[in-house]
């Protein structure tokens, strides 16, 4: 392959089914993912995980910590620092309860999959150490969904630090994909004193890598990625520090990116608006593959 773009073999058939009206799009589930950055001597590096090959969705692809929104996190009051829920609702394009749940999902998934917690005992602090049996028991309960993140924060008397997050972009899984997500991508800096841990049950490898290096490896076909991942890596490349990337987040456009498929000259053309590099040409005849 010319690059490392994740492209499932079943997509052409699904796209044809959508085009001829025999496929009804699944409703996307809300999700959040976090591009966790740390400064190095040669610029910021981003924390990435390689999804296990056995995963039903994007197996073998490199991604960021992330996952679905837990509806329980919009039902309970959460101790909150940073921009208000109303501010986040306006920024994310949802109501206040949904905004709380989406931000909770971003912070929860970063903790579940990287062991990094963007919360602290007061509005201007963060937890310094999340290792130990008690912390691990709580993390496992969150992963199993035996415990909601709102309950976890309340039990430990922690304040969610929404000011440590910046909303970066929003992508919606194409309509022909059976597992669909409406995903908000956030950027955050690794809090001082905390370290990432290889704790995700969904990943078989984790790396800290400069966005430019990851993008170059994708271009060589060495790292497999979904379109949103490589697109965001390219967007992060110009920033010389994690703080500058975070400072740029409020001005980012959060209009959702959704793939479009159209019939053109005897083939189906699959495009992601604003991202020409991902365009695919698929013959309308059964059995053809993407070009």
């Amino acid at each position: 392959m010319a690059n490392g773009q994740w492209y499932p073999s079943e997509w052409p058939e699904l796209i044809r089914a959508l085009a001829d009206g025999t496929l009804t799009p699944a409703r996307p589930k809300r999700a959040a993912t976090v591009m966790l950055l740390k400064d190095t001597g040669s610029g910021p590096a981003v924390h990435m995980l390689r999804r296990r090959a056995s995963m039903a969705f994007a197996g073998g692809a490199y991604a960021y910590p992330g996952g679905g929104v837990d509806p329980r996190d919009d039902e309970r009051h959460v101790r909150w620092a940073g921009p208000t829920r109303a501010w986040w609702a306006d920024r994310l394009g949802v109501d206040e309860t949904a905004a709380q749940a989406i931000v909770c999902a971003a912070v929860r998934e970063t903790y579940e999959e990287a062991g990094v917690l963007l919360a602290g005992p007061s509005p201007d602090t963060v937890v310094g150490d999340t290792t130990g049996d008690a912390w691990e028991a709580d993390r496992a309960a969150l992963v199993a969904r035996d415990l909601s993140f709102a309950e976890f924060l309340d039990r430990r008397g922690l304040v969610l630090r929404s000011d440590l997050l910046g909303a970066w972009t929003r992508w919606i899984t194409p309509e022909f994909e059976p597992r669909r997500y409406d995903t908000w991508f956030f950027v955050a800096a690794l809090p001082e004193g905390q370290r990432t841990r290889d704790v995700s049950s969904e990943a078989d490898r984790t790396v800290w890598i400069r966005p430019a290096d990851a993008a170059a490896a994708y271009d060589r076909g060495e790292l497999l990625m979904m379109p949103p991942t490589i697109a965001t890596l390219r967007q992060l490349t110009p920033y010389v520090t994690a703080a500058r990337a975070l400072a740029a987040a409020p001005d980012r456009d959060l209009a959702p990116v959704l793939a479009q498929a159209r019939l053109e000259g005897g083939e189906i053309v699959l495009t992601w608006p604003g991202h020409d590099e991902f365009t695919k040409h698929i013959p309308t005849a059964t059995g053809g593959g993407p070009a």
Side-chain angles (χ1 to χ4, degrees):
M1 60 184 172
N3 58 33
Q5 183 176 344
W6 178 73
Y7 192 90
S9 59
E10 65 270 19
W11 269 17
E13 182 179 349
L14 292 171
I15 292 169
R16 294 185 193 102
L18 180 68
D20 65 23
T22 59
L23 174 67
T24 300
R27 182 173 182 176
K29 298 178 181 179
R30 286 173 172 166
T33 191
V34 177
M35 300 176 288
L36 186 64
L37 302 172
K38 73 172 181 180
D39 290 323
T40 72
S42 56
V46 62
H47 182 67
M48 303 191 75
L49 308 89
R50 185 174 65 187
R51 295 173 59 83
R52 294 186 184 278
S54 59
M55 296 294 292
F57 183 79
Y62 280 78
Y64 313 113
V69 167
D70 186 343
R72 295 174 297 178
D73 288 335
D74 66 11
E75 301 170 351
R76 186 174 186 141
H77 178 75
V78 172
R79 294 180 181 88
W80 192 274
T84 65
R85 292 168 181 79
W87 184 93
W88 277 108
D90 182 67
R91 179 75 180 115
L92 301 178
V94 296
D95 60 37
E96 290 188 33
T97 56
Q100 174 175 294
I102 292 165
V103 172
C104 278
V107 178
R108 185 198 72 236
E109 289 290 336
T110 307
Y111 179 51
E112 286 183 8
E113 299 195 347
V116 171
L117 183 56
L118 304 178
S122 66
D124 57 356
T125 60
V126 291
V127 172
D129 184 6
T130 61
T131 61
D133 292 345
W135 284 103
E136 184 57 24
D138 279 350
R139 194 192 67 80
L142 287 168
V143 171
R145 298 295 180 262
D146 294 333
L147 179 69
S148 75
F149 193 65
E151 292 169 333
F152 163 76
L153 293 173
D154 186 56
R155 176 187 297 180
R156 287 191 169 269
L158 295 174
V159 180
L160 184 148
R161 292 289 305 276
S162 81
D163 55 317
L164 300 182
L165 286 170
W168 190 263
T169 190
R170 179 183 178 185
W171 287 63
I172 300 176
T173 308
E175 292 182 327
F176 49 81
E177 171 60 46
R179 296 176 183 83
R180 300 189 65 212
Y181 300 93
D182 183 354
T183 305
W184 284 262
F185 286 68
F186 295 83
V187 65
L190 180 68
E192 185 175 352
Q194 291 197 36
R195 299 172 125 189
T196 54
R197 293 186 289 134
D198 186 1
V199 292
S200 174
S201 61
E202 297 181 354
D204 59 14
R205 186 187 181 207
T206 62
V207 295
W208 281 102
I209 186 169
R210 293 193 314 133
D213 293 338
Y218 166 91
D219 289 335
R220 294 191 298 267
E222 297 171 2
L223 297 185
L224 182 67
M225 298 181 201
M226 294 175 282
T229 309
I230 181 59
T232 49
L233 283 170
R234 297 199 197 285
Q235 292 161 0
L236 288 172
T237 299
Y239 298 97
V240 297
T241 66
R244 290 194 180 183
L246 191 60
D251 294 326
R252 298 273 313 166
D253 183 7
L254 291 188
V257 179
L258 174 64
Q260 299 175 352
R262 68 180 187 276
L263 289 171
E264 185 177 289
E267 64 182 6
I268 298 169
V269 181
L270 175 62
T271 61
W272 278 260
H275 300 273
D276 292 343
E277 71 168 297
F278 305 130
T279 299
K280 295 288 184 184
H281 297 262
I282 303 147
T284 54
T286 302

